[in-house]
Amino acid sequence: SQTIHQWPATLVQPVGSPLSLECTVEGTSNPNLYWYRQAAGRGLQLLFYSVGIGQISSEVPQNLSASRPQDRQFILSSKKLLLSDSGFYLCAWRAYRTGIYSGNTIYFGEGSWLTVV
Amino acid sequence: AQSVTQPDIHITVSEGASLELRCNYSYGATPYLFWYVQSPGQGLQLLLKYFSGDTLVQGIKGFEAEFKRSQSSFNLRKPSVHWSDAAEYFCAVDRLNQAGTALIFGKGTTLSVSS
């Protein structure tokens, strides 16, 4: 069966410090990978998605970046955190299915709470 | 662009009462629609999804949703709410026809259950 791991679960970082959140998926190949951010009252905002190694698309211009160094690894980074980067970050994946992804369920990790102080 | 609106930010329902959470979407063709539930501090769990066919979709935990094209709605229902149903509920539409297709979520509805 497929599983998704995301870490760290919680972190408190000072403004201006770097960030690295890591996500790995097991039990599937060539998944679509996603980073979402959840802020209070704003629902889930899609930040990045990736359809393959080294292929990253950004949805929202911001202080964050993403990388996919391996097929099932997705990393969210920042060189200098801002207060506004605080929130709940969710990694997610979706299976590849005969050339399309649409309609497949997106599965979420347990999330990472980031507080920038 | 596709979008999802959940008009109710917060709903309180008595335990044992029925529940309906509203969701309206904006999309030109038949959408793929999803409902997820999130317990506090947790990730999201899929309740149900609609692709085509029967407009009444059954999900886990006794939930169902009805797709109404004429109203652009996909409301979530449960006949009898349990205290454990207290959570945040998200409706989502699939962003189709793109290699990086992803789900676009509404802002969520928080459900409280009173005894």
Side-chain angles (χ1 to χ4, degrees), chain B residues 20-21 23 25 33 35 48 50 54-58 64-69 71-77:
Chain B
E20 183 169 28
L21 301 181
C23 172
Y25 66 89
L33 295 161
W35 274 101
L48 48 80
Y50 170 79
D54 192 346
T55 56
L56 186 62
V57 180
Q58 301 297 321
E64 66 179 25
E66 186 172 12
F67 171 65
K68 293 185 177 180
R69 183 190 302 276
Q71 299 177 20
S72 297
S73 69
F74 188 55
N75 294 347
L76 182 71
R77 302 194 295 245

Side-chain angles (χ1 to χ4, degrees), chain A residues 30-58:
Chain A
N30 195 28
N32 256 15
L33 295 172
Y34 308 89
W35 280 109
Y36 283 86
R37 177 170 60 197
Q38 186 177 17
R42 297 182 61 182
L44 281 83
Q45 180 185 34
L46 178 63
L47 301 177
F48 300 95
Y49 66 87
S50 172
V51 301
I53 297 174
Q55 300 178 63
I56 309 295
S57 295
S58 173

